[in-house]
Amino acid sequence: MATVAPNSKIERFRRLIRNDQIRLGVLAIFIGALGGGTGIAFREAIGLVQTLFFGFSSDRFHSNAAGVSPWIILLAPAVGGILVGLIVYYLMPDRRPQGVADVMEASAFRRSKMSKRSGFGGFVVSAITIGSGGSAGREGPVVHFAAFLSTLISQILKLDPETRRLLLGCGVASGVAASFNAPIAGVFFSLEVVIGSYALRSFAPVVIASVGGTLVSRSYFGDFPAFTIPVHEIASFWEFPAFAILGCISAGVAVALCVSIDVVRNTHNRLNIHPILRPALAGLAVGVIGLFLPQVMGVGYEATDEALNEMLPLTMLITLLVFKTAATAMTLGSGFGGGIFSPSLFLGAMLGGAFGFVATGIFPYLSSGHGAYTLVGMGAVAGATLGAPISTIFIVYELTRDSALTIAVMIATVIATQIFTATYKRSFFHWQLEARGINLMGSRESRIIRQTNVREVMEQDYVTVQPSSLLPEIRQKLTATRYSEVFVVDEEGCLVGTIILGDLGADAFEHLHDSDLRAIDVCRRAPPLATVDTDLEDAMNLLEECNEEHIAVVNNLDDKRLMGVLHEHDVMARYHQCILDTRREEAI
């Protein structure tokens, strides 16, 4: 008996380490630690670049900028723009900066794979952008690099696509948690924005990674929230209509921010400015604004803190709202790196503070003070812009631990998000993807169908005839096929047309024209076609529009070389399988 127990223990241990959930948990711990380390490394990298340009590394930018030469304030963003333009043009994939939208694309379409140039290049570009004074956020780059490290580990370990996607979500969660010292928000941002599912199998490892990222970050920076927020109390339930109105206005600010970025990008394209020069010109414009309002440069946390603590007058709040929007639009619309999270929080704080001033002036005895409205505005603008109302609400709650004020944030954020979605896009990230022709809207099974090409589903059970084939041969081959359709191809295998029994009319059964009519005479010369690269969603729409059950598949619409046939029942079977796989995953 003494020798059996150790062997049984060893066997139990082997079974334990082979358990998928245990392995996922161990990997999640490791990736969580990497995500926390990413947050630390990126903030230090920004500090290093900022020291090289301005001589200080502190987050309190505009306080320290008072002692910096105006020439440096003016020219530093432009010099940073030159460096960014060169790196992006010569080193980055697709010659553009990388961000959270690329993580979403990797999760949905690229089997959770990200290139090394995308990962390391995005880190460097964003650090230069923010460190040189560009108006952008640091949370997006942290999320992107943490996600990249998770994909790197997945590729080294040769994990399956579904596990890679989960680990990608772990990287995202740890990055957000480390940025805001908010582990709950990290979990929900990952599930809400990137993974797009709240399946139990996804939830556990994402929670572990988010907690891991938070602990690593806290061990370095201490257990301090991203902002210093005074205690607020809701003075009256009559304030809630005011919070709802603030949500409506917040949607307008979020739309204005995204539209402004789009205008800058389109202006660069219309003027045909070389991509290398675009960040430099935008940096010069940001530097001009920074001469008078240094608060708009960098992440802007100091000014946001001042608004939260009711230290800014109404005129300054409105001024910063306008010029921060302009500075962020020029930064993100011209090819700089960085994220949009911090700018949206900044704008929300300025809007909320200004709205609070007005509301308090009109109803002084019913107001909680304009600092409370500042916090509500932050959540509303950020939630609408990011398309992540749940995680934004949790960020505010973890920053304040105030359930009453969080209810106000919930009302304003939900209203702002609904209006933003109805009038613009689902989120800023979806706008970025749609500008590149990528659509992530719809259910996960719909996205899987869009990833599947016709070549993966088409069959080779087609029957062909030559254009010169006569009716007897056509009849014989039509009756030989299980779906009563033949394809007319020339000597090079290119599709000329298709023939079904109905195309023969009376000649299907009569033999008067057997020696006269050829395939070229009776075929449909412009039948519905799909190419091998057509995605299944488009193929399903084509089958429905043309009311056909079988369509020819060609190599491309120019050559029309016949490659196979697509059957409607095969497409529907694949779609049904996608639904079953998704439901099975959600049930685990």
Side-chain angles (χ1 to χ4, degrees), residues 43-318:
R43 287 175 67 172
E44 293 297 335
I46 293 172
L48 176 62
V49 176
Q50 191 171 287
T51 300
L52 293 175
F53 277 100
F54 300 103
F56 61 88
S57 61
S58 172
D59 281 346
R60 301 185 65 80
F61 187 91
H62 68 263
S63 294
N64 288 279
V68 177
S69 167
W71 287 107
I72 294 178
I73 297 292
L74 175 65
L75 297 176
V79 174
I82 293 172
L83 295 175
V84 166
L86 290 170
I87 294 171
V88 169
Y89 190 79
Y90 288 109
L91 298 178
M92 295 295 289
D94 301 325
R95 292 178 173 174
R96 58 176 176 77
Q98 304 286 304
V100 174
D102 297 280
V103 178
M104 295 167 63
E105 181 187 357
S107 174
F109 293 120
R110 288 195 259 119
R111 298 180 182 272
S112 301
K113 293 182 179 180
M114 299 168 68
S115 69
K116 293 183 178 64
R117 284 196 300 162
S118 165
F120 292 110
F123 185 97
V124 172
V125 164
S126 294
I128 294 174
T129 296
I130 300 169
S132 63
S135 177
R138 68 189 181 201
E139 296 78 21
V142 171
V143 168
H144 179 266
F145 194 69
F148 159 70
L149 292 178
S150 73
T151 66
L152 197 61
I153 292 170
S154 298
Q155 292 176 52
I156 292 172
L157 298 178
K158 299 180 179 179
L159 300 175
D160 62 272
E162 189 56 41
T163 303
R164 287 202 301 265
R165 194 172 70 90
L166 284 179
L167 294 185
L168 184 76
C170 290
V172 170
S174 63
V176 172
S179 296
F180 288 102
N181 191 21
I184 301 175
V187 170
F188 281 92
F189 184 86
S190 175
L191 298 175
E192 184 178 22
V193 176
V194 178
I195 295 179
S197 166
Y198 293 91
L200 290 177
R201 185 170 186 265
S202 306
F203 193 79
V206 168
V207 168
I208 293 170
S210 186
V211 171
T214 305
L215 293 177
V216 170
S217 178
R218 286 179 181 178
S219 69
Y220 189 84
F221 296 113
D223 187 7
F224 303 108
F227 303 102
T228 304
I229 301 175
V231 176
H232 296 287
E233 293 184 3
I234 303 296
S236 168
F237 283 108
W238 290 106
E239 282 193 282
F240 283 96
F243 293 137
I245 295 171
L246 177 56
C248 297
I249 302 173
S250 297
V253 170
V255 170
L257 173 62
C258 295
V259 170
S260 299
I261 295 171
D262 201 17
V263 167
V264 171
R265 184 175 64 86
N266 291 334
T267 301
H268 281 302
N269 292 334
R270 188 168 58 253
L271 297 178
N272 200 25
I273 299 172
H274 196 281
I276 293 178
L277 299 178
R278 294 178 184 183
L281 295 174
L284 187 62
V286 171
V288 170
I289 298 174
L291 287 174
F292 306 97
L293 296 168
Q295 293 94 330
V296 306
M297 301 178 75
V299 294
Y301 275 5
E302 183 181 3
T304 304
D305 245 340
E306 291 174 349
L308 287 167
N309 287 275
E310 304 182 1
M311 297 168 62
L312 299 178
L314 177 60
T315 54
M316 180 57 75
L317 290 168
I318 296 173

Side-chain angles (χ1 to χ4, degrees), residues 346-468:
F346 184 109
L347 296 177
M350 301 307 143
L351 172 67
F355 184 89
F357 259 110
V358 175
T360 302
I362 298 174
F363 302 106
Y365 300 108
L366 299 179
S367 173
S368 304
H370 68 266
Y373 288 89
T374 300
L375 193 62
V376 174
M378 282 175 61
V381 174
T385 305
L386 304 176
I390 298 175
S391 47
T392 303
I393 290 166
F394 274 116
I395 286 175
V396 174
Y397 178 74
E398 290 186 274
L399 289 174
T400 62
R401 301 291 194 276
D402 186 336
S403 57
L405 195 58
T406 302
I407 294 174
V409 174
M410 291 170 67
I411 291 172
T413 302
V414 168
I415 290 173
T417 303
Q418 289 297 317
I419 295 174
F420 183 92
T421 303
T423 57
Y424 192 66
K425 303 286 184 184
R426 183 174 172 182
S427 74
F428 173 73
F429 305 130
H430 286 86
W431 166 77
Q432 287 183 306
L433 290 170
E434 287 183 18
R436 306 202 297 262
I438 298 169
N439 182 12
L440 291 187
M441 301 297 280
S443 62
R444 181 163 177 255
E445 51 264 26
S446 297
R447 295 198 296 270
I448 295 173
I449 284 293
R450 288 198 292 269
Q451 292 180 64
T452 307
N453 292 330
V454 164
R455 71 169 76 244
E456 300 177 40
V457 183
M458 70 181 188
E459 298 287 350
Q460 301 293 324
D461 58 346
Y462 57 86
V463 176
T464 64
V465 294
Q466 293 291 314
S468 58

